[in-house]
C-alpha cells in the first residue's frame, strides 16, 4: 500500500487527481498540502493547510512513496510575473526538494510542451527552469508530463484558453495536430497515476499524445488490480 503527497489539489487536474487517488485501492494514505481546504472528506485523506512561503513548517511532512505536483497559476491570476514565478517555480521546487531529501522515491510533475529555460516566453521559461532543477534531485523516478490545452470546468473564466480548445478541436477534425488535441483534467490525472507506478524509469518526459495512452493503461491497471509498471 502506498502513501501519496499532492500539491495543487484545488486546481482542475488536482481536483480530479485527488478524487481518483482516494478511490484507488493501491493508495492507503493521501496527504495534500494546500492554502485552503479542499472540501473533501475521506478516511484516507490527510489535509494540511500550509503557508507555502514557510517550508520549515511543513517540509518534514512530505513523506511516503510519491509526490504529485499539479500546482500552477496564470499571470492574470497571480497579478505579476514575480508572483507567478513564486507559484510555478519556487513553491514547486521547494516541495520537490523536501520530498527528495525525505527519500520519497517517485516524483510526478505536470509541466508544459515547449518548456525551455531559455525560452523568450515567460511561462515556458518558468516551466523549463523547474524541469532543469528537479531532474538533479535525488529521486528514484522522475516523470514530467507535457499536456496540451486542458479541458474541464474551471472556477474562473479563461476566455483565450476556451478559444484555443475550440480552435484545436476544429483543427483535429480536419486531421491536423492530433498529437496536440485538448486533454480533459480527468484524463491527465489518470496519466499521472499511471506514471507513478513506472518506478523502473529514472527520468522520462511524456509528450501530449502519450498521455492519452497512459490514461488508458491506468484504467486497465485498475481493472486488473496490477501495481507493476
Amino acid at each position: 500500500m502506498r502513501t501519496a503527497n499532492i500539491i495543487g489539489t484545488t486546481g482542475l487536474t488536482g481536483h480530479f487527481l485527488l478524487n481518483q487517488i482516494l478511490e484507488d485501492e493501491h493508495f492507503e494514505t493521501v496527504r495534500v498540502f494546500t492554502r485552503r481546504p479542499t472540501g473533501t472528506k475521506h478516511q484516507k485523506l490527510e489535509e494540511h493547510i500550509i503557508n507555502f512561503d514557510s517550508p520549515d513548517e511543513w517540509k518534514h511532512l512530505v513523506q511516503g512513496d510519491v509526490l504529485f505536483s499539479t500546482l500552477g497559476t496564470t499571470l492574470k491570476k497571480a497579478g505579476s510575473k514575480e508572483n507567478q514565478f513564486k507559484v510555478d517555480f519556487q513553491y514547486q521546487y521547494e516541495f520537490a526538494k523536501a520530498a527528495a531529501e525525505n527519500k520519497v522515491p517517485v516524483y510526478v510533475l505536470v509541466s508544459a510542451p515547449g518548456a525551455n529555460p531559455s525560452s523568450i516566453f515567460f511561462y515556458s521559461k518558468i516551466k523549463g527552469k523547474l524541469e532543469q532543477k528537479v531532474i538533479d534531485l535525488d529521486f528514484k523516478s522522475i516523470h514530467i508530463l507535457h499536456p496540451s490545452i486542458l479541458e474541464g470546468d474551471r472556477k474562473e473564466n479563461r476566455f483565450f484558453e476556451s478559444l484555443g480548445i475550440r480552435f484545436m478541436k476544429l483543427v483535429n477534425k480536419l486531421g491536423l495536430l492530433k498529437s496536440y488535441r485538448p486533454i480533459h483534467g480527468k484524463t491527465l490525472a489518470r496519466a499521472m497515476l499511471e506514471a507513478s507506478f513506472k518506478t523502473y524509469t529514472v527520468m522520462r518526459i511524456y509528450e501530449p499524445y502519450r498521455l492519452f495512452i497512459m490514461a488508458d493503461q491506468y484504467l486497465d491497471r485498475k481493472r486488473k488490480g496490477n501495481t507493476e509498471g
Side-chain angles (χ1 to χ4, degrees), residues 86-149:
K86 182 180 286 189
V87 174
D88 279 21
F89 177 84
Q90 182 180 323
Y91 293 165
Q92 297 216 60
Y93 179 70
E94 288 293 342
F95 255 91
K97 182 170 177 284
E101 289 176 348
N102 292 339
K103 306 302 180 184
V104 174
V106 181
Y107 178 48
V108 182
L109 169 68
V110 175
S111 185
N116 187 327
S118 301
S119 177
I120 61 172
F121 300 106
F122 185 65
Y123 180 76
S124 298
K125 189 172 186 177
I126 297 174
K127 295 298 185 183
K129 284 187 173 182
L130 179 61
E131 289 186 13
Q132 187 179 58
K133 288 284 285 184
V134 298
I135 61 176
D136 290 329
L137 295 175
D138 189 21
F139 288 103
K140 179 180 178 181
S141 297
I142 297 175
H143 304 275
I144 299 174
L145 282 62
H146 283 181
S148 185
I149 302 174

Side-chain angles (χ1 to χ4, degrees), residues 2 26-27 65-66 68 105-108 139-145 190-206 210-221 226-229:
R2 311 170 84 203
H26 301 120
F27 290 89
D65 300 287
V66 56
F68 294 99
V106 181
Y107 178 48
V108 182
F139 288 103
K140 179 180 178 181
S141 297
I142 297 175
H143 304 275
I144 299 174
L145 282 62
R190 289 170 179 161
M192 293 184 73
L193 283 163
E194 176 61 20
S196 76
F197 290 102
K198 299 182 182 299
T199 55
Y200 58 84
T201 299
V202 176
M203 199 284 288
R204 185 167 182 180
I205 295 175
Y206 304 86
R210 183 68 188 172
L211 303 182
F212 294 92
I213 298 171
M214 292 171 67
D216 288 340
Q217 289 174 339
Y218 175 69
L219 291 178
D220 287 341
R221 182 187 298 278
N226 183 23
T227 61
E228 296 180 1

